[in-house]
Amino acid sequence: MIPLIMAGTGTTNTVKKVGGKEETKHFLSNMGFTEGAECSVVSANDGNVIVNIRDTRVALDRGMASKIYV
């Protein structure tokens, strides 16, 4: 299990765990980051990532991306 910020660009990953406070988990789950969801990193720049998840493209900063484990 690695944080999403360390996942390779272009690879498909499965969300294993979402960490952080309850409001952070709720925020991320509303965007589709739930356990078992397939996601792929489209672009990564200095820890900030753009991710395809559930047919949606989402931009996450380093802090949020480090709370998602794949």
Side-chain angles (χ1 to χ4, degrees):
M1 218 172 21
I2 60 169
L4 186 60
I5 58 174
M6 297 179 72
T9 303
T11 60
T12 301
N13 302 288
T14 303
V15 176
K16 306 273 193 225
K17 177 184 168 187
V18 179
K21 296 181 181 179
E22 282 304 313
E23 55 263 5
T24 303
K25 290 179 185 179
H26 183 69
F27 176 75
L28 290 171
S29 78
N30 283 340
M31 289 197 298
F33 291 95
T34 56
E35 291 182 21
E38 296 286 321
C39 66
S40 62
V41 177
V42 176
S43 174
N45 185 10
D46 196 31
N48 302 320
V49 294
I50 298 174
V51 180
N52 272 339
I53 187 159
R54 300 184 190 264
D55 297 326
T56 304
R57 200 169 272 198
V58 178
L60 298 170
D61 68 359
R62 180 181 203 95
M64 284 292 180
S66 66
K67 292 176 177 33
I68 302 167
Y69 293 90
V70 294

